[in-house]
Amino acid sequence: MEAIVLCGGLGTRLRSVVKDIPKPMADINGKPFLSFVLEYLKAQGVQKLILAVSYKYELIQEYFKDEFLGLKLTYSIEKEALGTGGAIKQALSLAKEKEQFVLNGDSFFDINLSQLRLENQSKLCLALKKMNDFERYGVVELDDKGLVSSFKEKAYFKHGLINAGIYLLDKTIFDAFSLEKSFSFEDFMQSHFKALRARAEVFDGYFIDIGVPQDYFKASQYFK
């Protein structure tokens, strides 16, 4: 199994509590947050990782080097800002396997990766999280076949399914589209989910995104 981890986050909203480092390197109980993500991937059976890095990427390379916990690490280095979509597209050029897991290096979602599947010509499968009383995230809606039917913008929702930032995608996902060098993967999904036959699996595992100080401190408690 092979996976791509997006590690280019600047962490601007965390500057009040985390020094000027890549967001996945934020300290959680003496370890970078990214180390917990990699431990999870190791436990899920992933053997090779491509770390898509950008801002102060040398700090990530110096810490994790070319191997971590037996995981073989390759670095896809952005020489210019590529956005999440451009970062994934560049990393895919280094990928060996046809199906690739993609995760964010600044969030953690405790799910069974093997339950994500590409079926019936689907190029993309999203991991969705059930949530109640939230406004920080948009909502993903599904039809009765488990295919994505719509994306709703951020607003207050009493309950809904959020995109938790873990994907299984076909290596050729971008081949049929004319794209700028820098683009947002989230925008790409919302524009092309029907053509991609995007599907989803719903999970209720623990989820944390350390993008704001409040959740950063929650992560420190959880990983104790």
Side-chain angles (χ1 to χ4, degrees), residues 8 15 40 57 68 75 78 89 93 103 109 131 148 151:
R15 293 283 165 81
Y40 158 78
Y57 66 86
F68 182 75
Y75 294 86
E78 292 180 48
K89 187 177 180 183
S93 68
L103 301 88
F109 192 21
M131 291 194 79
V148 175
F151 287 89

Side-chain angles (χ1 to χ4, degrees), residues 82-101:
L82 297 177
T84 49
I88 293 171
K89 187 177 180 183
Q90 177 174 288
L92 284 173
S93 68
L94 302 173
K96 304 298 184 185
E97 298 179 13
K98 179 174 171 55
E99 295 185 0
Q100 294 288 317
F101 292 100

Side-chain angles (χ1 to χ4, degrees), residues 53 57-66 75 77:
V53 296
Y57 66 86
E58 298 90 350
L59 297 176
I60 297 175
Q61 282 187 311
E62 287 169 8
Y63 188 93
F64 292 100
K65 305 191 185 304
D66 295 327
Y75 294 86
I77 301 170

Side-chain angles (χ1 to χ4, degrees), residues 6 21 40 50 64 68 119 132 140 165 177-178 186 197 206:
L6 299 175
I21 56 175
Y40 158 78
I50 300 168
F64 292 100
F68 182 75
E119 300 174 345
N132 299 311
V140 182
F177 304 93
S178 178
E186 295 73 18
R197 291 191 59 79
Y206 181 79

